[in-house]
Amino acid sequence: MMWIPMLSLTALPHVGGIFGGLITRKEVKTWYTTLNKPSWRPPNAAFPVAWTTLYTGMGYGSYLVWKELGGFTQDALVPLGLYGMQLALNWAWTPIFFGTHNIKLAMIEIVMLTGTVAATMVSWYPISRTATLLMVPYLAWLCLATSLNYCIWRDNPDPKKDD
């Protein structure tokens, strides 16, 4: 029955992705189109493909760490705790950016997320190099997303400050 934890832990990140997609779907066609964005941004169609791949990789990586440490043991507290923290931060970014349109707060949040992902990777490396390597594309994508968030924040001043 080891396939149940594998499937569950691999699928878990997708839960937040599905809810985030519900928020994003409407806003991408309305509010997001009004923003000044850099020319190098990925096309909108790339985001669901990228996130499906990234969520699957990080989820399977968490399973490898969980399995190597014998489940949710004392030894798993830090590596899986950091993973859970980054997952919560990941899920929070979409409602902040697309839900509340708070680009500055989303920028602060994504910097915290990126740092937490890096810390997760450092904690995973001695346990499972494969799990750590599965997080590399995610960290790279977050660096791109952080740059994109910054450019959008910089190029779209908050109209409330002009009042």
Side-chain angles (χ1 to χ4, degrees):
M1 292 296 247
M2 283 303 287
W3 59 271
I4 293 174
M6 181 189 66
L7 286 179
S8 299
L9 290 170
T10 301
L12 178 62
H14 293 276
V15 172
I18 291 167
F19 287 113
L22 297 174
I23 295 168
T24 305
R25 186 175 315 166
K26 174 183 169 268
E27 298 298 325
V28 160
K29 297 175 186 169
T30 56
W31 172 73
Y32 191 68
T33 62
T34 68
L35 298 175
N36 297 314
K37 296 173 283 298
S39 60
W40 49 263
R41 80 182 189 291
N44 292 344
F47 287 86
V49 174
W51 279 112
T52 299
T53 304
L54 297 170
Y55 281 144
T56 301
M58 76 171 79
Y60 186 70
S62 74
Y63 164 72
L64 293 175
V65 170
W66 175 87
K67 183 178 87 169
E68 191 65 33
L69 294 175
F72 296 110
T73 62
Q74 186 69 29
D75 290 340
L77 186 63
V78 170
L80 293 180
L82 284 168
Y83 173 74
M85 184 185 305
Q86 73 79 28
L87 195 56
L89 287 166
N90 178 295
W91 291 348
W93 184 88
T94 298
I96 294 168
F97 186 88
F98 284 103
T100 68
H101 305 167
N102 192 332
I103 302 168
K104 180 180 180 180
L105 181 59
M107 181 65 211
I108 294 166
E109 199 273 359
I110 202 169
V111 168
M112 292 175 17
L113 168 59
T114 304
T116 307
V117 169
T120 300
M121 292 172 69
V122 168
S123 76
W124 282 13
Y125 188 77
I127 301 159
S128 172
R129 291 183 181 155
T130 301
T132 306
L133 290 172
L134 286 168
M135 296 285 275
V136 170
Y138 177 37
L139 185 61
W141 183 264
L142 283 176
C143 290
L144 173 78
T146 301
S147 300
L148 180 58
N149 194 148
Y150 171 76
C151 290
I152 292 172
W153 173 57
R154 178 195 64 201
D155 297 342
N156 296 276
D158 187 353
K160 295 174 199 151
K161 288 185 180 178
D162 296 337
D163 293 341

